[in-house]
Amino acid sequence: SGLPSDRFHFFGFLPPKSAARKRCLEEQAAAPDTLIFYESPHRIGKFLGEIEEVLGPDRCVCLARELTKRHETILAGPVSEVRAAFAQRSGKGEFVLLVAKDGYKL
């Protein structure tokens, strides 16, 4: 992913409701760890928007789709750029989203 791996916190899937996901992001905004999430294809675009809204457009993320499979795709950079690039691609597949600790730059 290119993000720090010395400390990380794995969340898996967050609740399906937007308010609960935002609350989790707010609670982890200053965490010193890389945050790791799973997300479904039909919610990943909205989740990227929530990260941008709650954590800011410059927060570094890595969006990985279909890891270890033939059509593996990885997008990394500021969440605003990853979100824009993702909007131009397929939303199908299994997603892992990593969020860098605050202040980390790729």
Side-chain angles (χ1 to χ4, degrees), residues 89-104:
R89 296 172 181 248
S90 168
K92 296 180 181 180
E94 301 166 347
F95 291 92
V96 177
L97 182 68
L98 296 93
V99 179
K101 59 187 173 184
D102 192 25
Y104 181 80

Side-chain angles (χ1 to χ4, degrees), residues 15-46:
K17 302 262 184 193
S18 180
R21 287 194 307 268
K22 287 180 182 180
R23 195 169 30 257
C24 178
L25 290 172
E26 289 166 354
E27 291 169 358
Q28 299 301 320
D33 311 327
T34 296
L35 310 176
I36 305 171
F37 304 96
Y38 287 152
E39 193 50 90
S40 65
H42 64 279
R43 282 198 308 253
I44 190 66
K46 185 168 184 152

Side-chain angles (χ1 to χ4, degrees), residues 1 41 44 50 62-63:
S1 73
I44 190 66
E50 292 164 351
C62 177
L63 178 63

Side-chain angles (χ1 to χ4, degrees), residues 72-88:
E72 179 179 282
T73 306
I74 298 174
L75 300 170
V79 67
S80 59
E81 293 177 16
V82 170
R83 185 174 172 219
F86 174 74
Q88 304 301 316

